[in-house]
Amino acid sequence: MSTETLLRDLREQLRDGGLHGCLLVRDLHTGDELGIDPDTQLPSASLVKVPLALATAERIRRGELDGGTLLDVPPGRITTPGPTGLSRFRHPARIAIEDLLYLSTCVSDGTAADALFDLTPPAQVAEILQELGLRGITVRHGMRELAETPVERFHAEQVHLAHALAIDAGTSGRGHRVPQLDTTRANTGSARAWVDLLGALWTPSKIHPDVALQVRDLMAHNMLRHRLAPDFSSDATTWSSKTGTLLNLRHEIGIVEHSDGQAFAIAVLTESLVPASTQPGADALMAQVARTLRDHLRQL
């Protein structure tokens, strides 16, 4: 099958599955890549925790922070489905900075991430990305804003109404009545920008090797493995990743490393057009399309 025919078929599969997808797969050794709308900017959701981890680890390397410093973290006390870790705690906890890094990145704990954002505010995270030559990822706010969406205002049996609003209230210029989905106000990034970040973490770049190693290790221990991991994990591969979920957004970025030495950076950003919070079929479709792109690229 030609590349053009393949991309057309994959677009149709995404559309038939109720998804608008922005994807990019890149061979880290050759630089060859395949994608679908890879330059479209979308809100990042929890993907922003990777730049946060990078900035925090870089500040520890510089001596600006001590990874062993203990912080008193207030409980998140969030009761709606989704949040993890400290976000669901009912009582204060004292936790070291490096352990907050683990909770934020590997467990996707928003309260842990906000404790790190208190140390390195969004503007400083963005500044460090610029210093490291990473473009295309915008960091404007922490995670508290992501816990204040329309979902929290509806009863469980009415959550579909929040998703309907997320789907229908956008503009052609990617503005949105829901601020967390408005690309002029939210944290954002394109599939290409996320793949560029992954490439900088996995291959020589301006990122210090010790910092890159620490972030890679965190992503290797990501505990949320329901989305792309089933299609990229095996005895002959390793899958290191970070997911992002917010209203109708379902994202994942990661690196698949093969035992033969090949490695591919993958970014899958999607918007669901189906007003439902639980969509295992969408997760499976994301993985299927990403793997098809990887398989085709691997054979070129």
Side-chain angles (χ1 to χ4, degrees):
M1 181 183 296
S2 71
T3 299
E4 294 76 11
T5 300
L6 174 71
L7 293 177
R8 184 176 65 249
D9 288 350
L10 292 179
R11 287 177 185 272
E12 291 177 358
Q13 290 179 33
L14 289 167
R15 184 172 60 251
D16 292 345
L19 291 178
H20 169 240
C22 302
L23 300 86
L24 188 65
V25 179
R26 179 182 298 162
D27 186 324
L28 290 185
H29 296 300
T30 67
D32 294 338
E33 59 184 35
L34 285 175
I36 296 173
D37 297 336
D39 297 305
T40 299
Q41 291 282 326
L42 287 177
S44 302
S46 286
L47 296 184
V48 75
K49 292 168 184 171
V50 177
L52 173 63
L54 170 59
T56 303
E58 172 62 16
R59 293 193 65 207
I60 292 172
R61 184 192 70 81
R62 294 175 182 178
E64 299 171 4
L65 297 173
D66 181 342
T69 298
L70 296 174
L71 301 180
D72 291 319
V73 183
R77 294 176 179 161
I78 296 176
T79 58
T80 53
T84 59
L86 298 171
S87 298
R88 305 193 78 84
F89 274 30
R90 298 186 178 187
H91 307 285
R94 177 167 290 183
I95 304 178
I97 291 174
E98 287 187 329
D99 292 329
L100 288 169
L101 266 178
Y102 167 77
L103 291 172
S104 171
T105 311
C106 303
V107 188
S108 205
D109 182 341
T111 296
D114 276 329
L116 296 174
F117 269 125
D118 287 342
L119 297 173
T120 308
Q124 189 173 8
V125 173
E127 181 181 333
I128 290 173
L129 290 179
Q130 293 291 315
E131 291 173 4
L132 296 174
L134 297 166
R135 306 286 187 266
I137 295 172
T138 302
V139 184
R140 295 187 173 103
H141 60 75
M143 307 309 295
R144 293 183 186 92
E145 290 81 352
L146 301 188
E148 300 172 353
T149 71
V151 166
E152 286 71 38
R153 301 171 192 171
F154 288 102
H155 295 296
E157 63 275 12
Q158 297 177 313
V159 167
H160 67 281
L161 298 176
H163 286 264
L165 177 64
I167 294 166
D168 296 334
T171 70
S172 59
R174 296 211 160 267
H176 208 286
R177 289 171 58 190
V178 177
Q180 295 89 341
L181 300 179
D182 186 333
T183 57
T184 66
R185 292 184 281 178
N187 300 325
T188 61
S190 66
R192 186 177 306 281
W194 291 112
V195 164
D196 287 344
L197 172 58
L198 293 171
L201 288 167
W202 258 261
T203 60
S205 70
K206 290 184 178 180
I207 301 174
H208 191 279
D210 293 343
V211 173
L213 178 62
Q214 184 175 3
V215 179
R216 291 200 305 269
D217 183 66
L218 289 168
M219 295 181 68
H221 289 89
N222 176 25
M223 295 184 66
L224 302 179
R225 304 182 68 80
H226 63 291
R227 194 159 284 163
L228 269 58
D231 275 71
F232 289 104
S233 298
S234 73
D235 289 345
T237 63
T238 59
W239 174 245
S240 305
S241 66
K242 180 72 191 76
T243 59
T245 308
L246 177 69
L247 291 170
N248 67 323
L249 302 179
R250 284 171 174 78
H251 305 330
E252 186 158 0
I253 61 172
I255 295 281
V256 59
E257 298 173 90
H258 298 272
S259 57
D260 64 3
Q262 284 189 302
F264 296 84
I266 300 170
V268 183
L269 314 180
T270 71
E271 298 172 302
S272 174
L273 306 178
V274 179
S277 59
T278 303
Q279 297 182 48
D283 294 326
L285 178 58
M286 290 171 61
Q288 176 187 333
V289 172
R291 180 166 180 169
T292 301
L293 285 174
R294 190 284 313 267
D295 290 348
H296 187 79
L297 189 60
R298 198 177 186 193
Q299 295 167 4
L300 291 179

